[in-house]
Amino acid sequence: QLKKTDAIPLLMNFLLNQENVLCRDPTTVAAKLRKMVIGGAGKTVVISDFDYTLSRFENEQGERLSTTHGVFDDNVMRLKPELGQKFIDLKAKYYPIEFSPKLTMEEKIPHMETWWGTSHGLIINEKFSKSTIEEFVRQSRIVFRDGAEDFIQSLDAHNIPLVIFSAGIGNIIEYFLQQKLGAIPRNTHFISNMILFDEEDKACAFSEPLIHTFCKNSSVIQKETSFFHEIAGRVNVILLGDSMGDIHMDVGVERDGPTLKVGYYNGSLEDTEAMEHYEQVYDIVLVRDPTFTVAQKIVDVIN
Ligand code: C5P
């Protein structure tokens, strides 16, 4: 009789034979998978970043796609070039700081607070309406990684909660999911920056605390959030991210089970130092992978 754990060596074999998969410590990965398979879907929660993790980094032509904040850069540039340029100038200044190998996290944090704070201030000042923002999303260059839609639906079908933990803008993710999936699946929850609207549905504030790349951890997770009862007892975590800021997204979920960390490396193939860094902090690194195949295979062995 076949046991569910028999699928693990097959999955490991698959992973180790993929050219674009890096796995520093296959023994540990197999051991984590074993605990997860034994625990099954009922003990599992998926915590995933959105920008450039659930969404694609670039299209087939190698052109960079949009982040949730980027939805404003593109659309505002079209409608109000002067304001659009302000968003673009902010990104040109702060994005290199976010990914600079020369600065420590402590040195980067004040810059991230200024970047997020300034761009959110511009959004509020402009009093964009909810329907305008929904239209911006419809016109945007946010694209799911191949298979990400099916991945979200399959988690829902197996009652595995999905927590989308994003330093982007949560409303934009909500509108995107509504537009692409028809509705937000019941299993899907958000920890993100939310635009708050006044009685006329105009943007009037952002939720607190501010979530930027380097505070994605227990410091911004509010335990009273309605879905916390749903993930209590889910001791096994699959964590999906694309940056160094994503590796602590599981901190704050109380439990003693393993976290399997899967990292999307969207950077340059020449930057071996950066790739080695990803290998140190993520159990499995997917190098410039536009698909959700590996994450789906992991969930399939657990179900
Ligand atoms: O960590 P996460 O991928 O959710 O972060 C959102 C991304 O949004 C950041 O990595 C940052 O580069 C980007 N961003 C942006 N415009 C802003 C603020 C952040 O594109 N105004």
Side-chain angles (χ1 to χ4, degrees), residues 25-40:
D25 183 357
T27 313
T28 299
V29 170
K32 287 185 180 184
L33 280 170
R34 194 179 157 75
K35 285 189 185 162
M36 294 180 147
V37 170
I38 291 169

Side-chain angles (χ1 to χ4, degrees), residues 30 39-40 45 49 58 69 75 81 96 98 114 123 150 155 165 167 202 235 239 261 267 287 303:
V45 54
D49 170 56
E58 56 189 17
H69 279 99
N75 284 284
E98 180 182 4
T114 308
I123 292 168
D150 293 339
L155 293 180
F165 196 163
K202 307 262 189 222
V235 292
L239 179 150
K261 297 186 183 180
V287 179
N303 282 328

Side-chain angles (χ1 to χ4, degrees), residues 49-52 67-70 73 91 95 98-99 115-116 119 165-168 213 216 242-243 246:
D49 170 56
F50 183 79
D51 287 316
Y52 299 153
T67 60
T68 52
H69 279 99
D73 308 7
K91 182 169 239 152
Y95 188 81
E98 180 182 4
F99 284 93
W115 182 13
W116 263 251
S119 60
F165 196 163
S166 169
T213 314
K216 293 175 82 174
D242 78 307
S243 84
D246 293 332

Side-chain angles (χ1 to χ4, degrees), residues 128-299:
F128 287 111
S129 72
K130 196 181 273 186
S131 56
T132 301
I133 300 174
E134 280 172 329
E135 190 51 32
F136 283 178
V137 175
R138 218 166 276 124
Q139 304 282 342
S140 77
R141 291 177 304 117
I142 299 182
V143 178
F144 267 131
R145 259 181 222 274
D146 289 355
E149 270 167 277
D150 293 339
F151 178 79
I152 295 174
Q153 305 279 27
S154 82
L155 293 180
D156 191 41
H158 291 97
N159 286 318
I160 298 176
L162 166 64
V163 179
I164 299 182
F165 196 163
S166 169
I169 300 177
N171 317 60
I172 304 258
I173 306 172
E174 282 183 357
Y175 304 153
F176 181 73
L177 295 188
Q178 269 158 0
Q179 289 168 15
K180 296 293 169 190
L181 307 176
I184 296 171
R186 281 165 310 132
N187 70 320
T188 305
H189 309 283
F190 301 91
I191 302 174
S192 190
N193 299 302
M194 303 303 288
I195 302 173
L196 309 177
F197 294 96
D198 64 16
E199 58 281 1
E200 288 170 8
D201 271 350
K202 307 262 189 222
C204 64
F206 266 85
S207 60
E208 305 254 359
L210 173 74
I211 302 174
H212 58 71
T213 314
F214 301 110
C215 63
K216 293 175 82 174
N217 54 49
S218 57
S219 68
V220 294
I221 300 179
Q222 282 162 356
K223 294 282 157 54
E224 68 274 18
T225 308
S226 60
F227 64 84
F228 258 82
H229 71 276
E230 204 182 304
I231 64 170
R234 303 244 170 198
V235 292
N236 302 328
V237 176
I238 300 172
L239 179 150
L240 307 170
D242 78 307
S243 84
M244 288 298 142
D246 293 332
I247 58 175
H248 301 301
M249 293 191 296
D250 61 327
V251 175
V253 182
E254 281 159 32
R255 72 219 162 72
D256 53 11
T259 298
L260 185 69
K261 297 186 183 180
V262 180
Y264 285 88
Y265 176 76
N266 299 316
S268 155
L269 294 179
E270 270 103 68
D271 195 348
T272 48
E273 211 175 305
M275 270 192 279
E276 275 164 28
H277 194 188
Y278 273 66
E279 263 193 286
Q280 295 302 320
V281 298
Y282 283 105
D283 294 302
I284 297 168
V285 180
L286 307 174
V287 179
R288 302 188 69 84
D289 181 354
T291 80
F292 243 66
T293 310
V294 168
Q296 185 70 60
K297 279 185 185 288
I298 293 169
V299 168

